Amino acid sequence: MARIVTVAAAQLGPIQQAEGRQSVVARMIALMEEAHAKGATFIVYPELALTTFFPRWYEEDRSKMDHWFEAAMPSAATQPLFDKARAFGMAMSFGYAELTPDGHHFNSSILVDRNGTIVGKYRKTHLPGHVEFDTERSHQHLEKRYFEPGDTGFPVWNFEGGLMGMAICNDRRWPETYRVMGLQGVEMVVLGFNTPSVNSQRGAEGLDDRLFHHRLSCQAGAYQNATWVVAVAKAGTEDGNHLMGGTLIVDPNGKIVGELDHEDDGVLVHACDLDDTVFGKETIFDFKRHRRTEHYGLITERTGVGAPLGR
Ligand code: ING
């Protein structure tokens, strides 16, 4: 018996600083309409989907960046998106900057069921970049300045007839992200990303390398945990700063089943059979049968590199 989730990876093109949330939400709704017309029942939007990638901008007074954050979800600006999703009977996930009532700042994403109810929240664990202005970099990447590390861990939810997990951008580069969800039986990981197309510390590392590492990370995570991975870009040039595309869907065998080849608003729709995860989970990645946790201690005992165990 197949357990099909027809997912739409809904890529957003650039969002300029001057573009308001209402305009972005209208773009997101247009993508949802296209996804609905193509039979999708679950739509996934990028990281920080409502605004420009503001962590590229340095601000001495961090409180002056709070206007990029959502103090409520849904809010007046995002309610039309929830209303449209409910009208379509479409589940959704998207990322946004979260300001909690007690003043905490997270890079977050949510799972919303077909009734428009928020049933899951994830807060980005692996924050790349730096806290202070870095004169050595070609551009700033100040997520460590504006966000706290997530406090949710990597939960997996019963969602859309399967086991669903979330990650955000840099999380996809860390095998621990997928494995913690893999140990919960995850069958689909959805993640958004905003990835500058050039390494700010190594100019020679450009778009091709960035796309290679992005595909490598998503494919490895999918294969090594027998799960679908849906990765959705915010892409294009935002106020002169280029973000790469590369929206793609990877099957549980690590194969890319679809990838967008542009940097504009667009949807990639694929009927993902969650039962395609079963063979991998019951054979090569039957964790219970094959893992030897007695030898993995360093993974949680050490944060950074320590002394070698060999003599
Ligand atoms: N962006 C980038 C990402 O992880 C990055 C930052 C790029 C870090 C390449 C290391 C290497 O895709 C976000 N938002 O995490």
Side-chain angles (χ1 to χ4, degrees):
M1 181 268 273
R3 286 181 298 137
I4 305 291
V5 175
T6 303
V7 65
Q11 175 175 291
L12 283 168
I15 301 176
Q16 311 306 326
Q17 283 189 87
E19 183 170 4
R21 285 172 178 74
Q22 292 78 358
S23 169
V24 176
V25 167
R27 290 167 55 187
M28 294 171 77
I29 288 174
L31 289 169
M32 188 181 287
E33 289 167 342
E34 182 180 350
H36 178 68
K38 292 179 176 177
T41 52
F42 178 34
I43 188 165
V44 184
Y45 296 104
E47 169 191 32
L48 297 176
L50 302 172
T51 66
T52 195
F53 186 71
F54 63 85
R56 65 168 66 92
W57 306 119
Y58 179 79
E59 172 54 63
E60 181 61 30
D61 178 354
R62 299 180 205 199
S63 68
K64 289 184 178 170
M65 301 299 268
D66 280 358
H67 67 92
W68 295 118
F69 288 74
E70 309 304 314
M73 186 54 70
S75 58
T78 50
Q79 189 60 54
L81 184 68
F82 283 73
D83 295 343
K84 179 62 80 173
R86 190 168 50 248
F88 281 153
M90 186 175 295
M92 68 175 168
S93 179
F94 64 88
Y96 64 96
E98 177 191 12
L99 176 57
T100 68
D102 54 350
H104 294 282
H105 298 71
F106 296 107
N107 186 342
S108 301
S109 63
I110 51 175
L111 280 182
V112 184
D113 70 14
R114 298 184 183 201
N115 302 315
T117 304
I118 298 173
V119 296
K121 178 180 287 182
Y122 169 70
R123 292 166 170 162
K124 186 174 182 179
T125 304
H126 299 98
L127 298 171
H130 45 107
V131 177
E132 301 304 334
F133 189 91
D134 184 343
T135 57
E136 299 301 307
R137 288 172 182 252
S138 58
H139 58 269
Q140 304 301 303
H141 196 113
L142 293 156
E143 292 192 58
K144 290 186 192 291
R145 183 176 186 80
Y146 300 127
F147 302 120
E148 299 169 54
D151 59 357
T152 60
F154 302 100
V156 168
W157 290 268
N158 286 292
F159 188 79
E160 286 296 296
L163 290 167
M164 189 70 64
M166 289 184 279
I168 299 176
C169 203
N170 197 254
D171 288 324
R172 75 192 186 283
R173 302 178 191 279
W174 300 90
E176 295 88 343
T177 299
Y178 302 96
R179 185 48 50 89
V180 169
M181 290 189 272
L183 288 166
Q184 301 169 70
V186 74
E187 297 170 318
M188 179 176 283
V189 176
V190 297
L191 63 95
F193 62 95
N194 289 216
T195 300
S197 55
V198 176
N199 185 326
S200 64
Q201 297 172 290
R202 174 185 284 176
E205 183 182 305
L207 181 58
D208 289 346
D209 293 322
R210 286 274 157 121
L211 284 168
F212 169 73
H213 291 145
H214 159 64
R215 296 181 183 115
L216 180 68
S217 300
C218 295
Q219 288 180 270
Y223 168 64
Q224 292 169 347
N225 296 278
T227 179
W228 289 91
V229 171
V230 179
V232 186
K234 169 125 71 57
T237 301
E238 297 186 333
D239 299 293
N241 298 270
H242 187 254
L243 296 172
M244 70 177 214
T247 293
L248 52 76
I249 298 174
V250 186
D251 77 11
N253 210 21
K255 302 286 184 63
I256 295 174
V257 296
E259 182 170 348
L260 293 182
D261 61 359
H262 61 76
E263 296 177 350
D264 305 309
D265 291 7
V267 294
L268 167 65
V269 177
H270 189 81
C272 302
D273 186 351
L274 299 182
D275 283 341
D276 289 348
T277 66
V278 171
F279 181 75
K281 292 182 189 293
E282 290 184 351
T283 57
I284 187 170
F285 294 111
D286 178 347
F287 293 159
K288 184 172 175 54
R289 213 151 51 90
H290 298 304
R291 293 183 73 238
R292 305 302 309 175
T293 54
E294 66 270 23
H295 300 303
Y296 303 163
L298 290 189
I299 291 176
T300 56
E301 289 160 16
R302 291 185 183 178
T303 300
V305 172
L309 300 182
R311 292 286 170 264

